[in-house]
């Protein structure tokens, strides 16, 4: 089982703790990005996963590659090309003060990569599962073309395609609306992951679900996901993350899934002292891909994905530094802490 | 619109995080003090504000001035004189362990400044609003005299005077009781800000209000503030901050205001992961002065002040490092976190 | 009044904040261990307390001794011998992610010390109270023999013996079960401290109490502690700590005590933003020994112990860096924070 | 006397101490850039100086502006526009291991600013001295046009123009050679600053001077600077910095100047424990502009510039955090340390 | 070309900067050990290298493996077994204050590994070059047996064997003298690396060479290395590192080599601001193995090794974080710093 | 042998590394002061030493006492009284940039202590050696009176009195000149320590010695110290420290001594990478008192003092964190570094 994820990996410059920008003249400097985060999750669970991306050829990008190796991600399919290493600045919030992200990712190597710059045969060698998100096609016209190519190439090879719809309103600047592109891309997708807003903005389907209520409107979610499954016949299942955002420090977290056979609802976690919620959706995707490949039951897969991404909220950085064992302990236990000694 | 605040700015030596004194051989070193905190808030909201204070002439005090410039505070009215830079040590608490403040501010330059050392004509040039607190007159006999001079000089020039009653029991050591001085000072005040304890200790008015209950006794507060307004005919309005202190990490926060026309009660915020509550009252004052000068409605002004000071609890340091936009987002939203990206 | 505690002190290597192992290439490096933690608590409360332990003769162990001196612990009875300084690695958790402890304490100087290596006459000179825990006899066969010797030697000298039953499942590797040893050791004990699990694993007494429920089953605890008192006629009293573990960040904390005369239940504290819970049980022991020697009432002693160990949850490190005054303030107050200035 | 400097200010991301990239997941985050560094030096010496630059409109750029305010630089002429905040990464070397700079400054706001985007009338209001460097015209075709405009506009207004020739081989990518542009720009320059390589690469004048020798070839430098003065009749004087680079930690530092009247050679400093040499040339420019405006003697001005930039080697960051008093102490003394207490 | 190195990798706990033990309650936590350091050097130069070692099965050891992956070292031959992760504590010196190392490596997994615990067939699969040092046989009787086995197994397979004689007086505690073992091991060695003291203590050959003199006694080194080559007919060449130790901050560094054909002497480097000299010998070995496999000339190989290990003195940590390109720049240049931008 | 030192201990707030004030918002926070530094040196060498001082009664001063305990200094004679904890700010220099000290020590507890506030009988109980410096009498009129009392009381009890003349030009503000007081104090002194400037400013003896020359003018120093011995018949010996200050990073360091029998000159150390020279003179005093009590030869004592204080330059903080063993290693060796492992 070999997994390939395709997308941008950026330098993440975060203020320490919950400091405001330049409260201290320092940034925590790590790396992150939706599909890279998924790859790291999968490597942490012991899976064979490669990241397909384009990076510039300089020592900072070299460090990025090394960091992926640290986690055991296969970096042999990473290309080097013109353009820069994308950056995002993160000012972490707390309580009523939300986190702020400032993107500086224009003209990144992946955004300026030409449509014919990827040798799909080499990229997909031995690959059984391909993962992409709605971020890659939002970066530039050429990145959009590469994205559409990628899913088609994967689909044609019989590779399972998963996609995190992942809508970012500050991207999509090159002239296309998300829904124009994502609805096409979805035709090649087998497994979709999304939240309420993603479905609405990426697929153009509106609903009146309010996740903030803290009570899952089971019927509404079933109806919405049924609608998606109806529209995209290739789609085998769709999973939805449900975040109740009480404050920057306190969220509820759960998920649901529709696999045409059944509609599943996960356990719900109350997370009162959030350490870092960036990358939680990606860690859900990583957990789901792992779960779908390790459990017979789709509910078990969903529960794994939700538990894994619940834990992500307690880990600083985009990458979900937990093992499958850590997730299983949460699944088996009650989420309380007995110091493990 | 030019605002002048008058008071001491100190070096603040805080243990990192929630460490006890000298758990690590290091102090976070920033600056703070009631009126300086108000000035920084106002500068952050884009207002033209100067701090009037006295500092010694040494490189550490030079850094203090530079830090004020960083925030855009006009430092041209800062005087240099004999005496030292006051200091306060802060050991931050959490849960049931309260924060501890150790003052080392005796013989500071402002405390030893002579009554005739300030040229009021220069200090008040172009000023429309003057802010002082109950701390400045508590520092020394001469600081008390300068404080009384300042409000009279402001009042005589038709400048609006606001005062944060701000009672500190470890100050007032030079022989006067707070109420002896503050009741005189209040005769020149247009806008008063206080909490329960301040009103009692600074104005000698007792009440049996218990803010800890978590439920605002609206009638009691109306009655108490009516009494203050009756006693001080120059007073246009009085605003009261309401802190419910469940633990060092968890407070409720709201406010009310009486403008002789009406009695207003603000939205209440539940703050469960307090980062730093020192300076919250000052950030309320800053928000109120901004609000009274930018909104037609007094309730809107109060809501801005409460929201601004709610956010202060998530910012480390005396200064409230948020913009008017940050406050407005909280006012418009629901205090939940959607990462802003 | 001179107290002696006997046990291992280790180097504690903790990740900063709530970081995962090697997220940064750094460890917080402090010292800790059950009986040393008790000694530091007692020294912090102004008591004359010595630690009896064995350390290697190298500069890192020298720093350990200096650190104990910092807190005023009498280090004159510390022996130097072959073997190493034990270590434990700690990865701090948050929310649903539990803390992890990795022990590296085999072949420590105390574990390899020979049974005849301690001069009990010198060790117990002037001592009135002796404290040990269930950890020391778990380290090695020889440490077990030294432990049994120690309580007998103390008992024979008329010294009060307290013991924290403290069961650690990852120790006890040398061939004996905890209950085989601890039931013997208990014959010389006057004051026992334990939690539910300790009683079960160390004394072989089972019960069906579930502390997680958040509601103290008073009758069940009375019955269980009655049973212990029945079995060990030398025992004057037994105190039990009650932890309700909702998450790694949120616990309830209280205690009860049975002194054959009466059964006491303490106030309960809700701790929502745990800083560090390691050593909380030790700080309870320290508080109890102090309380039993300073208060006439056993309930007062219990309340002191519970309040002291409640505060420990807000202090990073094994040592409970609070004074008797800090504990008394919590006992007198309501656990809310009014910044102390 | 009002000075204007024009150029890019970047975010500087430096590894801590002499660490290699990502040895720790952190960057020191400060700001710097040739002309901004000059402005900060001048503000530190008490001069009235403004920076003319273009920045994007985001919170990171806001912090950049605040940082300039901290040093007292007039930021009122800073424009906001499309494009990004340029970045440079710095890995500091030591001994035989040189420092490395990775530029990420393409498409910065100043590089993409349109030629007509600056209102020169407003920019030059009250300005008496204008400073630019060879970096600005290297950034992009439009930045080159703005640069040429700027010196002409300044010259036409009778403003003294100084220029640091400052050749950077990794810039100049848009199609022009440095010498094609700089020779034109020089026609409007009154005061030029350069090192050997700058003169060669920016003005196309070759010489066989070897600065590494540690012995100044006085005649060769006089001849070379005479040649420059002959070629550019508007030029009043040219100053040359002389760096002998023995290792990344040890340099010799001095300077010389030709003002058509005389040829001056400064004192030479041996700097054996370099803290940070980036920005030394800029601090020389700042010192020279200050010196030319404060001393009657050109030699005194040169000595000030060399001493000021000698001190820069002991200050981390692009900005030369020393006062005129600090420089004067070095000029009067012998460069030895007597702790100033 | 596949290289295998065999030896212990330890946790390295270093005080920050040049602090004394526990001056701050923190340790820099990285990994290191002779043969692992060689492996990282080789991986940094782009070679295919695996580390053969034994580690315990716990999360700290997992991080050690990840760190090796970060550098691209093949970790697939690392075994897990009983025993602990060895540790060494490092207090860095400066000037006249030497660095101190405290070993805590007894009972490490490699030291307690049984002689038959390594499958040599698997370990040596595809291997062309094998590297070991005099440290591995010093750890324990079984480690000595494994060491002797390893070189014989390598030799029998026709694999080139290199050995760093590396004498450590605080090891060799299990009953054998270094010279008893190393003289046997040398029979299977093709390439030896050593310094003066190593030759004397490991091979029992005395000489009266004083490296501190700063002047290489060419004839004496030729004679000494001739003697070694005479004694060990299998030996193809021996390289010697020459450290002149003026202080903890200032060393001279060079090397020489005898390949039976010729005697080579390298360039000498003066290193005045040493950052970290631990691991310099290992980086010499890494450089030499690279050099012997990439250059036709043995002198070129020696020069590469000396330059690579010269650079190591400017890198904190055991690992030599430089690329082949970094070394080549030093070889081509003059060791002075021109900031590379 | 019991030693008592008498003087002020302050909070030392130093910028990290060689940063300028507030380059980062943090101070290293340790404690120091001449006589306390001497006490710590002596405790480090295993001697029984107490510090006599006056401190305020607050948690920061409590930490100061604990820090002294850490080093094994007897703190039982420390008094608590009104006044503050003195502070000094330190900005560390490098190369040509000197370190800066800003004193904030007025109105410290020792400066405001009344002449009758010390019970000399208790203070001198069991004491054989008393040490004071010229700093204590410079603090205030009352501190001067206490200083004169102290030496007389010591002298009358037959206690050996040592005094570091230690002139500080920024103190002595209360109306007396140093020489007016120190010449009186010297009548009770047995052992004097000084540098050139101290002798001149504290004793009013001028000479034309220039220590910067790097060559000791043996005859001049002999003559000068002869003069001092002639003037003060009680004086047994005088030791002089000789600092050659080439830069803030590079000093030469040696000493000489005149004991009426002989004139001794020590070995000279060249210190090229100074870490922290503050407290070097105090560490010389500590080394000398130790040496005079442990060696028969006065030259040996002087050599120990010079070596001990040479090492101080490599230790950050006022306290000389080295053992007698560390000093002896330097005395026996050549000051080069062989890593001690």
């Amino acid at each position: 089982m070999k997994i390939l994820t395709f997308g941008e990996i950026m330098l993440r410059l975060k203020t320490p703790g919950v400091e405001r920008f330049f409260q201290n003249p320092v940034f925590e400097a790590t790396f992150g990005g939706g599909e890279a985060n998924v790859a790291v999750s999968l490597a942490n669970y012991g899976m064979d996963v490669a990241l397909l991306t384009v990076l510039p050829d300089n020592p900072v990008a070299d460090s990025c590659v090394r960091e992926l190796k640290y986690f055991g991600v296969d970096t042999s399919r990473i290309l080097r090309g013109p353009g820069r290493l994308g950056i995002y600045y993160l000012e972490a919030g707390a309580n009523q003060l939300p986190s702020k992200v400032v993107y500086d990712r224009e003209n990144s190597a992946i955004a300026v990569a030409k449509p014919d710059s990827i040798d799909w045969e080499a990229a997909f060698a031995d690959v059984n599962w391909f993962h992409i998100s709605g971020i890659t096609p939002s970066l530039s016209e050429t990145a959009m073309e590469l994205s559409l190519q990628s899913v088609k190439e994967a689909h044609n090879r019989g590779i399972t395609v998963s996609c995190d719809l992942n809508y970012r309103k500050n991207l999509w600047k090159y002239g296309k609306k998300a829904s124009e592109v994502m609805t096409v891309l979805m035709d090649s997708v087998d497994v979709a992951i999304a939240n309420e807003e993603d479905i609405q903005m990426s697929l153009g389907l509106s609903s009146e679900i309010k996740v903030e209520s803290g009570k899952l409107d089971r019927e509404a979610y079933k109806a919405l996901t049924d609608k998606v499954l109806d529209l995209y016949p290739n789609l085998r299942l769709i999973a939805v993350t449900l975040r109740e955002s009480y404050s920057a420090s306190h969220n509820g977290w759960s998920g649901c899934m529709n696999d045409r056979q059944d509609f599943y609802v996960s356990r719900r976690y109350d997370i009162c002292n959030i350490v870092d919620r960036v990358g939680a959706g990606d860690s859900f995707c990583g957990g789901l891909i792992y779960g779908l490949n390790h459990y017979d039951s789709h509910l078990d897969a969903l529960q794994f994905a939700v538990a894994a991404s619940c834990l992500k909220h307690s880990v600083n950085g985009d990458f979900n530094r937990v093992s499958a064992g850590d997730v299983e302990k949460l699944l088996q236990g009650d989420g309380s802490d007995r110091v493990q000694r």
Side-chain angles (χ1 to χ4, degrees), chain A:
Chain A
M1 179 77 195
K2 175 105 190 179
I3 306 164
L4 184 75
T5 74
F6 173 43
E8 181 172 9
I9 181 162
M10 293 173 283
L11 175 62
R12 162 185 155 137
L13 297 173
K14 182 185 163 291
T15 58
V18 292
E19 291 179 5
R20 314 302 287 162
F21 281 131
F22 289 86
Q23 194 159 350
N24 273 284
V26 84
F27 276 119
E28 294 177 14
T30 56
F31 297 96
E35 298 83 356
N37 300 347
V38 172
V40 168
S41 274
L42 290 167
N44 280 341
Y45 306 147
M47 300 193 81
D48 180 6
V49 59
L51 175 67
L52 175 64
T53 193
V54 191
L55 286 173
D57 195 5
N58 68 39
V60 181
D62 293 349
S63 298
C64 176
V65 172
R66 289 183 157 197
E67 193 66 14
L68 289 165
K69 282 186 184 166
Y70 176 90
F71 288 102
V73 173
D74 174 356
T75 60
S76 63
R77 301 178 197 204
I78 293 177
L79 308 172
R80 301 297 180 110
R84 43 190 298 275
L85 176 68
I87 291 176
Y88 83 92
Y89 299 95
L90 174 58
E91 185 184 64
N95 301 302
Q96 287 79 7
L97 189 59
S99 297
K100 265 185 207 160
V101 164
V102 176
Y103 281 135
D104 176 28
R105 58 199 294 186
E106 285 189 64
N107 296 304
S108 67
I110 197 171
V112 304
K114 298 204 177 128
D116 58 358
S117 62
I118 297 177
D119 171 353
W120 295 111
E121 199 57 38
F124 282 120
D126 303 320
V127 168
N128 313 98
W129 189 294
F130 177 64
H131 179 75
I132 193 174
S133 86
I135 293 175
T136 313
S138 76
L139 298 176
S140 68
E141 186 117 26
T142 50
M144 179 266 286
E145 286 173 35
L146 282 170
S147 301
L148 292 178
Q149 270 179 31
S150 74
V151 294
K152 271 181 223 147
E153 294 276 347
H155 187 64
N156 292 345
R157 283 170 175 80
I159 296 169
T160 303
V161 175
S162 58
C163 177
D164 182 350
L165 297 182
N166 231 350
Y167 177 75
R168 292 282 179 273
K169 74 163 186 276
N170 284 331
L171 300 176
W172 294 104
K173 292 180 178 170
Y174 61 86
K176 294 268 185 187
K177 282 174 60 184
S179 55
E180 293 177 75
V181 174
M182 295 306 291
T183 49
V184 177
L185 192 144
M186 277 291 282
D187 286 334
S188 307
V189 170
D190 300 275
V191 173
I193 300 114
N195 64 22
E196 237 297 284
E197 186 195 15
D198 297 337
I199 295 175
Q200 187 178 323
M201 301 306 297
S202 295
L203 304 186
L205 298 175
S206 65
S207 86
E208 301 205 348
I209 297 167
K210 289 209 179 60
V211 292
E212 286 80 3
S213 70
K215 280 180 191 156
L216 177 70
D217 184 346
R218 184 187 175 95
E219 290 314 305
Y221 272 99
K222 185 169 184 327
L224 180 64
T225 50
D226 277 344
K227 212 189 301 182
V228 177
L229 289 163
D230 286 351
L231 283 168
Y232 300 97
N234 188 61
L235 199 62
R236 295 201 327 248
L237 63 83
I238 176 164
V240 180
T241 57
L242 304 160
R243 182 183 297 283
E244 307 140 36
S245 209
Y246 304 112
S247 79
S249 304
H250 180 198
N251 286 185
W253 182 253
S254 56
C256 59
M257 184 160 70
N258 190 331
D259 65 0
R260 296 187 188 271
Q261 306 292 321
D262 218 336
F263 183 76
Y264 312 88
V265 177
S266 83
R267 177 168 150 200
R268 174 190 174 280
Y269 297 94
D270 199 47
I271 313 170
C272 299
N273 300 70
I274 293 175
V275 173
D276 186 359
R277 49 165 280 188
V278 178
D282 308 321
S283 65
F284 178 89
C285 295
L288 191 70
I289 296 172
Y290 174 86
L292 292 171
N293 286 289
H294 279 73
Y295 293 103
D296 290 332
S297 144
H298 278 186
L299 178 56
D300 286 354
L302 175 68
Q303 294 285 25
F304 188 93
V306 172
S309 46
C310 165
L311 292 179
K312 171 60 193 72
H313 293 78
S314 301
V315 177
N316 190 24
D318 266 45
F319 297 156
N320 193 16
R321 295 167 176 260
V322 302
S323 67
D326 290 327
V327 180
E328 283 154 12
K329 260 186 210 116
L330 175 55
L331 284 170
Q332 289 151 17
D334 55 3
S336 76
D337 168 51
R338 289 282 163 180
V339 176
Q340 298 178 352
R341 61 181 163 192

